[in-house]
Amino acid sequence: MKHLVVPHSHDHSETIQSADESSEEGIRAAWIGLAGMMATAVAQVVIVALSGSIALLADTIHNLGHAATTIPLIVAFRMGRWRATKRYTYGFRRAEDLVGLFIGLIILASVAIIIWESVDALINPRVVTNLWWVFAAGIVGFLGNEIVAIYRIRAGRRIGSAALIAEGQHARADGLTSIAVAIGMVGVWLGYPRADPIVGFLIAIVILGILISSMRTVVRRLMDGVDEGLIDRITATVKETPGVVAVDTVRARWSGHRMSGEVAIQIDSAQTVLQGHRIAEEVEHGVLHAVPNMDSVVVHLHPAVPADQASSLHELSGHHASREAREAYRARQASH
């Protein structure tokens, strides 16, 4: 409905504005989430000092580590807005994906600390005091992290940021581990003092599962993987464009929370250069409409030719065609 009543175009300046707006929303979501997590963690630190709870200590360490990873994410969002250079011709948006790997290392380090503390507590049992305070801290941790999780996940989905969505899911898991702390206190009340460090182990396992899940998406994007069904959707959109005879190849890849694509199509060989250019523009507009996070689409035009000539034509026009392939093509054309 917005496109029906509001004038719009797909020129380069509007694409940049859209990318800047999404980056700004990501930065805002990261800062607000950081404030919420720090407030929760500070409250838990005070209660850890009063109670000596290992489960609460594990949860607090993880929350602090999670808060620390927000800063590099904000830096990555800002780097993504830098202009491309002759060395980095595609810009710096991949910094967001690299930060995802750094976040994974921080999470792994927090798991190691939690396991170490839990083992020490099992070998050298500690007396947990102020159980009601620890129980209350678990509930507060759950509520604080869940609010942060909902906000970040929604913002991440709006701008298409896998890193921000993963951070939101991470915050949600933090909330669940806080509930686990409260459960550990119930175990202590019931006469099972070792329930506290055991819950610490369970928290470490949950965090490890989160790490594996988050890194799958990050690594897939670093390897230029895209979501299931995306290429089919782009292909269908291109085929519906008037003037397109056939679709040869469709490619897309993520760069941070934005995407770029490449499409090779066939058009009627009788079309003029100007007509071909107009068809390419329509293809570009259609793809940008179909994929909200798409910033740019490079459209390659090929004349529609009989099947027996298609392989020779594509062999010649390929960006990485070898010298031998080009000479062979010229020889075949000369023999005709």
Side-chain angles (χ1 to χ4, degrees):
M1 293 299 297
K2 177 182 176 183
H3 286 301
L4 291 176
V5 299
V6 180
H8 65 284
S9 65
H10 290 286
D11 59 20
H12 189 59
S13 61
E14 181 174 291
T15 301
I16 292 177
Q17 184 180 17
S18 175
D20 283 346
E21 288 174 352
S22 63
S23 295
E24 191 63 36
E25 183 171 355
I27 292 171
R28 183 168 57 252
W31 276 120
I32 293 175
L34 176 62
M37 286 188 298
M38 288 303 298
T40 302
V42 168
Q44 288 182 321
V45 165
V46 174
I47 298 175
V48 165
L50 294 173
S51 65
S53 168
I54 296 302
L56 183 57
L57 175 62
D59 190 39
T60 304
I61 290 174
H62 182 51
N63 283 336
L64 288 172
H66 189 184
T69 61
T70 303
I71 301 300
L73 183 60
I74 293 172
V75 172
F77 273 123
R78 293 196 179 280
M79 287 182 64
R81 301 168 67 178
W82 294 356
R83 292 184 178 275
T85 65
K86 290 183 178 180
R87 181 180 294 274
Y88 297 97
T89 56
Y90 287 96
F92 298 86
R93 289 177 184 161
R94 279 286 173 91
E96 187 178 330
D97 301 316
L98 292 176
V99 166
L101 293 179
F102 172 73
I103 290 173
L105 292 176
I106 295 296
I107 296 173
L108 186 61
S110 68
V111 170
I113 294 174
I114 292 169
I115 293 175
W116 177 273
E117 290 291 338
S118 297
V119 170
D120 183 62
L122 285 174
I123 297 174
N124 305 299
R126 305 172 188 177
V127 178
V128 179
T129 59
N130 298 306
L131 300 184
W132 278 107
W133 279 106
V134 178
F135 182 83
I139 301 301
V140 169
F142 167 73
L143 294 176
N145 280 292
E146 181 62 18
I147 292 172
V148 171
I150 291 173
Y151 180 72
R152 282 188 170 180
I153 289 173
R154 288 180 178 176
R157 286 174 178 168
R158 279 196 300 270
I159 68 175
S161 173
L164 191 56
I165 291 173
E167 281 280 274
Q169 293 171 337
H170 192 183
R172 174 160 290 165
D174 288 349
L176 295 177
T177 57
S178 295
I179 287 293
V181 170
I183 295 173
M185 291 303 96
V186 173
V188 174
W189 274 326
L190 295 177
Y192 299 97
R194 293 185 184 273
D196 187 43
I198 290 174
V199 169
F201 276 116
L202 295 177
I203 290 175
I205 294 173
V206 170
I207 297 171
L208 198 58
I210 294 169
L211 174 62
I212 295 173
S213 177
S214 300
M215 289 304 100
R216 283 177 181 172
T217 302
V218 172
V219 172
R220 183 172 68 241
R221 290 198 175 186
L222 283 171
M223 293 293 294
D224 288 337
V226 295
D227 301 333
E228 192 72 27
L230 175 67
I231 298 302
D232 292 336
R233 186 164 79 250
I234 295 175
T235 302
T237 300
V238 175
K239 286 182 177 179
E240 293 173 357
T241 306
V244 175
V245 175
V247 180
D248 291 334
T249 59
V250 175
R251 296 175 181 172
R253 66 176 181 176
W254 286 96
S255 182
H257 60 279
R258 308 299 296 180
M259 298 185 71
S260 59
E262 182 179 343
V263 177
I265 62 174
Q266 292 185 29
I267 63 173
D268 192 333
S269 58
Q271 299 276 9
T272 65
V273 172
L274 179 58
Q275 291 171 328
H277 177 71
R278 288 174 177 170
I279 293 172
E281 280 194 328
E282 288 300 317
V283 169
E284 180 186 8
H285 292 178
V287 173
L288 292 178
H289 273 301
V291 185
N293 298 99
M294 187 74 73
D295 270 353
S296 63
V297 183
V298 177
V299 183
H300 301 277
L301 301 179
H302 301 300
V305 295
D308 59 340
Q309 299 181 26
S311 60
S312 298
L313 181 63
H314 290 292
E315 188 178 67
L316 175 65
S317 60
H319 293 300
H320 303 289
S322 65
R323 180 178 180 181
E324 291 79 6
R326 292 194 296 270
E327 291 177 351
Y329 173 80
R330 294 192 185 99
R332 287 194 296 269
Q333 291 299 101
S335 64
H336 291 323

